[in-house]
Amino acid sequence: EAQVTQNPRYLITVTGKKLTVTCSQNMNHEYMSWYRQDPGLGLRQIYYSMNVEVTDKGDVPEGYKVSRKEKRNFPLILESPSPNQTSLYFCASSLWGTSGRPQETQYFGPGTRLLVL
Amino acid sequence: SQQGEEDPQALSIQEGENATMNCSYKTSINNLQWYRQNSGRGLVHLILIRSNEREKHSGRLRVTLDTSKKSSSLLITASRAADTASYFCALISNFGNEKLTFGTGTRLTIIP
């Protein structure tokens, strides 16, 4: 089954304790991205990756890191989490469009709900 | 901002009625997409409409795009209780970045 998986689905942590949220897709998609969703603010992109070893900042990258060592995986790393990073996080993937943009359907993971105390 | 803005923010209708949601934007777009999100779950893609298209259908969904007015609408006909969800428009602009930018969504409630 074609899907994007995220782990963990729920996480409670404390300020400053490094954590990683994993994301994996089995559709051979080039483009992957991370979003956070907060009430009243919609989805905001954190980082995106156009292919292996190619990543770039989205709208709200501060406090986050990503890596893309393999095509299927795109982990999100919070080196020193803070309470303002409490949010619902989504990973998404898609094919890379022929005109050089991710024109195709975005496939979303189920979300990771993070609480930083 | 390249973000789309949905209107209304919330909509409640009786089951069986039609629901219309609108999305306005400010930039020139490559394509515009509509997604549905059930409470606390991941987003599900509904329809993608390209800038050279004016209307697309998928089952009970109809999407229109007016690039001169920089707006799109999503119509759900013969609504069902299972259509209760948040609906987001998302767009990719023509100006040099690869980001898919989401609006803040319309919360649709179907009353049985």
Side-chain angles (χ1 to χ4, degrees):
Chain A
E1 179 189 355
Q3 61 182 348
V4 178
T5 57
Q6 294 178 227
N7 282 293
R9 295 290 314 280
Y10 304 91
L11 180 59
I12 300 173
T13 189
V14 295
T15 298
K17 186 176 182 181
K18 180 180 179 179
L19 66 92
T20 299
V21 184
T22 64
C23 172
S24 183
Q25 49 92 7
N26 62 1
M27 295 168 279
N28 203 34
H29 286 165
E30 296 90 359
Y31 186 86
M32 297 185 74
S33 60
W34 277 101
Y35 297 87
R36 60 178 290 175
Q37 185 177 30
D38 302 288
L41 297 176
L43 279 87
R44 295 178 292 168
Q45 192 179 57
I46 303 170
Y47 268 95
Y48 64 95
S49 170
M50 292 174 280
N51 216 323
V52 175
E53 302 292 1
V54 182
T55 64
D56 206 351
K57 297 177 180 178
D59 295 315
V60 288
E62 292 76 22
Y64 304 94
K65 286 176 59 177
V66 292
S67 69
R68 188 89 182 274
K69 294 184 171 56
E70 305 165 282
K71 196 172 186 178
R72 64 182 292 125
N73 296 323
F74 190 45
L76 179 69
I77 303 157
L78 284 72
E79 295 270 3
S80 183
S82 62
N84 65 11
Q85 293 179 297
T86 292
S87 188
L88 179 58
Y89 291 87
F90 291 101
C91 179
S93 73
S94 73
L95 292 169
W96 190 250
T98 55
S99 67
R101 294 189 175 90
Q103 297 183 1
E104 307 302 324
T105 299
Q106 298 288 311
Y107 292 83
F108 280 81
T112 294
R113 193 170 291 278
L114 172 65
L115 172 62
V116 183
L117 301 173
Chain B
S1 169
Q2 298 170 18
Q3 187 179 36
E5 294 184 10
E6 287 93 340
D7 172 61
Q9 290 187 338
L11 177 63
S12 292
I13 61 172
Q14 294 288 335
E15 190 169 19
E17 294 180 340
N18 296 341
T20 300
M21 289 157 273
N22 303 296
C23 173
S24 60
Y25 56 91
K26 295 180 180 179
T27 187
S28 172
I29 63 168
N30 182 280
N31 70 67
L32 187 144
Q33 304 176 33
W34 285 91
Y35 289 81
R36 183 186 73 228
Q37 183 184 32
N38 292 91
S39 182
R41 310 281 290 275
L43 280 77
V44 175
H45 180 265
L46 297 175
I47 291 184
L48 181 153
I49 186 165
R50 302 193 188 279
S51 59
N52 61 352
E53 298 174 315
R54 292 296 168 259
E55 187 171 313
K56 286 189 83 168
H57 297 255
S58 177
R60 293 183 295 111
L61 306 180
R62 172 179 166 240
V63 168
T64 61
L65 179 65
D66 187 334
T67 53
S68 66
K69 295 181 179 178
K70 291 187 167 56
S71 68
S72 174
S73 67
L74 171 66
L75 169 67
I76 303 174
T77 60
S79 63
R80 305 168 182 170
D83 294 329
T84 293
S86 292
Y87 292 82
F88 295 86
C89 67
L91 58 93
I92 293 182
S93 80
N94 277 325
F95 294 109
N97 69 64
E98 296 78 20
K99 293 185 294 184
L100 184 65
T101 306
F102 285 82
T104 54
T106 292
R107 175 68 190 169
L108 175 65
T109 302
I110 307 300
I111 304 167

